[in-house]
Amino acid sequence: MLNVDLSPISSFVTPETLAAMEPRVRAAHETLTSGTGAGNDYTGWRYLPRDYDKEEFARIQKAAKKIQSDSKVLVVIGIGGSYLGARAVVELLRSPNYNLKKKDTPDILFAGNTLSTDAILETIELIGGRDFSINIISKSGTTTEPAVAFRIFKDLIEKKYGKEEARRRIYATTDKAKGALKGLADAEGYETFVVPDDVGGRYSVLTAVGLLPIAVTGIDIEALMGGAAEAMEAFSVLSMDNPVWKYAAARNALYEQGKRVEILACYEPSFRFMCEWWKQLYGESEGKDGKGLFPASTEFTADLHSMGQFIQEGERIMFETVVRFDKPKGTVTIGEDPDNVDGLNFLAGKDLSFVSEQAIRGTRLAHVDGGVPNILVEVPEVSERWLGQLIYFFELACGVSGYLLGVNPFNQPGVEAYKKNMFALLGKPGYEDMKQALEARL
Ligand code: PA5
């Protein structure tokens, strides 16, 4: 089981303070498991690792094999919860350089997560003349960014292959019954996968939303689900020894003491999109009703040379949660240099992981000394199994933490504001009055 080490926050939050939170954490966890809390109709992710649709899972694996056999590129179109999870898992388990590495699985190009003309043009350029397929992912089917991108790539694929073959290369992941994308997919005859009704976007990585693109890259999605299932079992324990309880209690205790920013940090560059996924998970779940920790992220040691100054000596509003993987994939030994001009011979014969370890230890002490508490999440290694555990850990802790904070962790009313303004300004039918009012203000 992954471990949460709270010893580096003990000078900020005493063990007694944490122990005193036990009844509140218990109540929050029980609210979640009993399904009696706000937003309870969006908690289907809790039992997904055990109760997922096995028939659909087999179809995902079959579709992934087909895409691997007939495509050099898979264009994955989606935004927010319909994008970040897949990218996070692929980058961590495969590589941020996945497309550059020699391999026998298709490149993955993510689209529909921006309205940038340049980005779309570059994606088209990167596909070039290669065979490709499309996975359009949108629960609502009406989100502007992916819908616009899908129009463009649908046109491209139909021009390349003709309508008949194109429809065999388009996979739609959307609501099981409603929405514009579901209607289009049925009309055109695309293979469809389901975003379950009771799973919100940011909790959907372990549904077809994440699993199809992830499987196309050759990642073992059974092992990923297996890890999540282990976590579901292990983290159901109602006890302050439960890592989920420790994390939820610690971050809320720090918030109550006045901390306003939580920085998720990792020493693996491949963790960058896990941070992006985590930021959406916690930001959308807790940032409401004038409350919540602002989720930020850093990539160490690179950011120690940029954000390190602020973390060490700036406004004392933050704490860090450091995710640490114990075992690297291999070893790199530092060599001996007879000239020793760089003065590094004292490290000769040492493994690079030893150097990294001292950076982690030294940074933790420096930041704690600077008034930045550190929560440590220890994960044995980067693998499907342990990532499955980590994903479930963060999801469950987010639900518990949101109820502790006193918000509905499963809605996102604030996301609508910009969408409405954009629709009005674009001249969408039904928004005429709003358009006039907005234009007058601009
Ligand atoms: O968490 C959320 O609900 C959002 O981030 C959505 O996932 C995002 O807006 C995409 O929505 P949809 O899948 O409906 O296109």
Side-chain angles (χ1 to χ4, degrees):
M1 194 168 47
L2 64 78
N3 183 46
V4 171
D5 179 4
L6 295 183
S7 56
I9 66 160
S10 58
S11 52
F12 303 90
V13 181
T14 63
E16 292 72 35
T17 305
L18 281 174
M21 290 183 77
E22 199 261 6
R24 288 170 58 207
V25 185
R26 178 181 294 273
H29 195 158
E30 282 174 352
T31 301
L32 185 60
T33 45
S34 62
T36 51
N40 59 8
D41 40 350
Y42 283 98
T43 55
W45 52 270
R46 281 185 306 127
Y47 302 114
L48 255 185
R50 182 192 65 201
D51 297 344
Y52 64 89
D53 180 341
K54 310 293 183 300
E55 180 275 330
E56 182 181 67
F57 193 82
R59 275 199 307 118
I60 290 171
Q61 289 174 312
K62 197 168 158 209
K65 286 224 152 51
K66 178 179 178 299
I67 295 165
Q68 286 169 347
S69 70
D70 69 10
S71 303
K72 293 285 178 213
V73 181
L74 175 66
V75 181
V76 179
I77 301 174
I79 196 166
S82 293
Y83 155 59
L84 290 166
R87 184 156 183 185
V89 172
V90 170
E91 292 210 357
L92 182 62
L93 292 182
R94 281 283 171 266
S95 165
N97 301 311
Y98 166 78
N99 286 348
L100 294 175
K101 289 169 93 171
K102 192 165 156 41
K103 56 192 165 46
D104 47 17
T105 49
D107 284 3
I108 303 287
L109 297 178
F110 291 98
N113 52 65
T114 170
L115 289 170
S116 159
T117 304
D118 292 359
I120 290 259
L121 288 173
E122 185 177 83
T123 306
I124 295 170
E125 189 189 336
L126 287 170
I127 298 170
R130 295 185 292 169
D131 282 318
F132 73 104
S133 294
I134 297 172
N135 181 198
I136 163 75
I137 308 167
S138 178
K139 183 172 184 175
S140 62
T142 53
T143 308
T144 309
E145 291 89 338
V148 167
F150 184 51
R151 268 209 181 198
I152 294 163
F153 288 102
K154 178 174 180 286
D155 186 49
L156 197 71
I157 204 166
E158 287 179 350
K159 284 202 171 105
K160 182 175 171 84
Y161 296 103
K163 238 175 156 12
E164 258 316 289
E165 174 60 13
R167 82 179 173 77
R168 285 192 282 270
R169 289 175 170 270
I170 297 175
Y171 303 83
T173 306
T174 188
D175 189 274
K176 70 173 185 309
K178 56 181 190 302
L181 179 56
K182 176 64 181 160
L184 180 66
D186 286 348
E188 300 274 2
Y190 304 149
E191 174 153 25
T192 57
F193 298 96
V194 173
V195 191
D197 287 341
D198 54 1
V199 180
R202 58 190 176 274
Y203 290 87
S204 70
V205 56
L206 299 178
T207 70
V209 170
L211 295 176
L212 178 57
I214 290 168
V216 169
T217 69
I219 289 169
D220 181 349
I221 56 173
E222 266 182 37
L224 189 70
M225 293 304 272
E230 281 175 5
M232 191 184 95
E233 202 58 43
F235 301 148
S236 64
V237 176
L238 302 180
S239 152
M240 278 310 263
D241 293 332
N242 183 339
V244 163
W245 284 34
K246 287 193 199 173
Y247 179 52
R251 60 197 301 285
N252 275 277
L254 290 163
Y255 178 68
E256 287 164 19
Q257 283 186 9
K259 297 296 184 196
R260 290 293 173 263
V261 177
E262 177 177 7
I263 302 174
L264 190 71
C266 187
Y267 287 76
E268 295 300 330
S270 57
F271 199 74
R272 184 171 144 223
F273 263 85
M274 278 299 292
C275 289
E276 299 304 317
W277 170 81
W278 172 89
K279 284 194 272 192
Q280 185 199 0
L281 182 62
Y282 280 77
E284 275 191 351
S285 298
E286 294 192 325
K288 55 196 68 159
D289 307 336
K291 300 186 200 177
L293 284 159
F294 183 83
S297 65
T298 50
E299 182 189 311
F300 290 159
T301 59
D303 287 336
L304 291 173
H305 301 260
S306 57
M307 298 307 290
Q309 171 60 37
F310 195 111
I311 296 170
Q312 194 67 45
E313 296 181 345
E315 191 70 73
R316 303 297 70 194
I317 51 171
M318 79 265 294
F319 66 92
E320 288 174 315
T321 297
V322 179
V323 176
R324 208 194 102 162
F325 293 95
D326 291 335
K327 217 167 66 194
K329 288 179 185 144
T331 55
V332 175
T333 307
I334 298 168
E336 175 95 27
D337 181 341
D339 299 330
N340 196 27
V341 178
D342 55 12
L344 285 179
N345 269 355
F346 75 102
L347 292 176
K350 296 264 190 315
D351 197 89
L352 187 57
S353 63
F354 168 78
V355 182
S356 172
E357 181 60 26
Q358 307 326 308
I360 296 172
R361 297 170 76 210
T363 304
R364 180 210 279 210
L365 289 179
H367 288 183
V368 168
D369 289 346
V372 178
N374 258 238
I375 297 172
L376 185 61
V377 179
E378 294 172 305
V379 188
E381 63 184 9
V382 176
S383 69
E384 279 90 341
R385 176 187 175 197
W386 290 107
L387 181 55
Q389 278 215 9
L390 185 65
I391 287 170
Y392 193 86
F393 164 79
F394 276 133
E395 288 181 347
L396 184 60
C398 188
V400 173
S401 192
Y403 282 141
L404 254 178
L405 182 66
V407 298
N408 174 353
F410 305 112
N411 66 0
Q412 56 284 331
V415 178
E416 293 310 309
Y418 106 91
K419 285 190 196 169
K420 282 188 197 140
N421 284 357
M422 183 174 70
F423 286 150
L425 292 169
L426 284 168
K428 188 171 178 172
Y431 288 77
E432 292 79 4
D433 290 349
M434 198 172 164
K435 179 176 169 65
Q436 247 184 359
L438 290 177
E439 293 287 9
R441 283 175 56 201
L442 285 168

